[in-house]
Each structure stands twice: as C-alpha cells, then as structure tokens.
Amino acid sequence: MDKAELLARTQAGWDDLNTYVQTLNDGQLTQLTDAAGWTVKDHLMHLAIWEDGVWALLNKQNRAGQMGIDAATWARWNFDEINAVIQQQYKDATWAEVEQKRHAIHDRFVAQIAAMSDADLQRPYRYYYPQSTNENAIYHTIIGDTYEHFVDHKQWIEAIVNQI
C-alpha cells in the first residue's frame, strides 16, 4: 500500500466515524454503556490513544509510555488489560476534553504519515522498534490502528446507541 492510499482510507474511515458521532446527543455519548461499562466517549478515546501509540512508534519513541501504559502491563500484551487501563485513565474526562484530545492526536498522527515516504511505510515494524522481531511492513500496524479500528469500534458504538 502506498502513502496516498493509506491516507485516503484513513481519512475516509475517520470521516465516516465522525459523521456518525456528530448525530449523537450528550446522553448517547457519555451515559449509555456497553456490557463492559464503556461509553461511546470511552471507545472514541480508546481509538485516539492507540493512534497516539503508533505515532510514538513511528518516531521511535516508547509506544506504551505514550499511551500511559506501564511496562509490565504492556509486556503481557493482553489487549483487554491494556484497554482497561486506557478506559480508566480517561473515563472521567468530559466530552469536550475527549473531542479536543482525539482530534489533536489524529491530526498529528496523519501529519506524521503524510511526512513519511512510501519506502518508510514499507519498512518492517522492527525498524521502528528494534527490540521486535516483527517483519511486517509498518503500514499494517497503521491500518490496524486507524480505519480498520474505526470500523470495529463504530459497530460497538452503534450497539451502545441502539440498545434502547
């Protein structure tokens, strides 16, 4: 995948998610929950924090640290545990705070991708994190934490909103 296609798909996914989110009222965003106790706001913050972690990775910085995850939790690589930490960190944030933060994170992340070359996007994960043995091109990680991630969470968000 080249940069132009990655950016286009990321933007389309972002736009689709946000078009839906803009139809929701405050109660739908912040009061209704899923079975795990997550609100729509929690899901949206979760998406932003995972994007922020990949931003750190692309800059050869500590991904877990950027996401606010301690080293021991990160080392266990248990997504439920990592995600629970993220949810707890931001559950008391206001909708306005979440909205500001997620847009700022996304804008910075997209700018980072835009500044990269097609060759940079083909580099293996381990190029950005030398302790890894992951040989997959980094664009796979970017896809997993952008438009594919948006689709997954939009479905869960819709389930929260449609439960009543």
Side-chain angles (χ1 to χ4, degrees):
M1 176 175 295
D2 67 13
K3 178 172 67 173
E5 182 179 359
L6 179 61
L7 286 169
R9 287 184 180 198
T10 298
Q11 188 63 51
W14 176 255
D15 291 346
D16 180 63
L17 176 64
N18 285 300
T19 296
Y20 177 70
V21 168
Q22 291 169 358
T23 70
L24 304 180
N25 63 42
D26 187 62
Q28 291 168 317
L29 293 165
T30 63
Q31 295 171 10
L32 299 175
T33 63
D34 59 20
W38 283 37
T39 63
V40 169
K41 176 185 68 123
D42 294 332
H43 281 272
L44 294 170
M45 197 66 224
H46 160 94
L47 291 168
I49 297 304
W50 278 98
E51 273 190 324
D52 210 26
V54 178
W55 175 86
L57 174 66
L58 295 174
N59 287 283
K60 299 183 179 181
Q61 296 176 7
N62 183 326
R63 186 175 178 188
Q66 184 69 25
M67 295 171 67
I69 308 299
D70 65 273
T73 300
W74 188 259
R76 287 189 292 276
W77 200 238
N78 178 307
F79 289 123
D80 289 339
E81 186 179 3
I82 292 168
N83 292 337
V85 171
I86 294 168
Q87 192 267 344
Q88 284 299 305
Q89 289 172 341
Y90 295 99
K91 69 179 178 63
D92 295 327
T94 67
W95 171 243
E97 291 167 338
V98 167
E99 218 19 21
Q100 185 281 324
K101 187 169 183 75
R102 75 183 193 92
H103 280 273
I105 286 170
H106 181 75
D107 290 348
R108 181 175 70 172
F109 184 62
V110 168
Q112 175 67 39
I113 296 167
M116 297 173 74
S117 68
D118 286 335
D120 291 333
L121 293 171
Q122 296 298 325
R123 293 184 190 277
Y125 185 102
R126 67 173 170 71
Y127 172 83
Y128 297 95
Y129 183 63
Q131 296 89 333
S132 176
T133 59
N134 186 341
E135 293 290 335
N136 290 327
I138 196 65
Y139 77 83
H140 292 289
T141 299
I142 295 169
I143 290 168
D145 283 314
T146 58
Y147 63 88
E148 286 183 351
H149 207 192
F150 302 158
V151 168
D152 291 342
H153 281 269
K154 184 181 175 197
Q155 293 171 359
W156 296 328
I157 289 167
E158 289 171 333
I160 292 171
V161 172
N162 294 329
Q163 68 182 322
I164 56 172

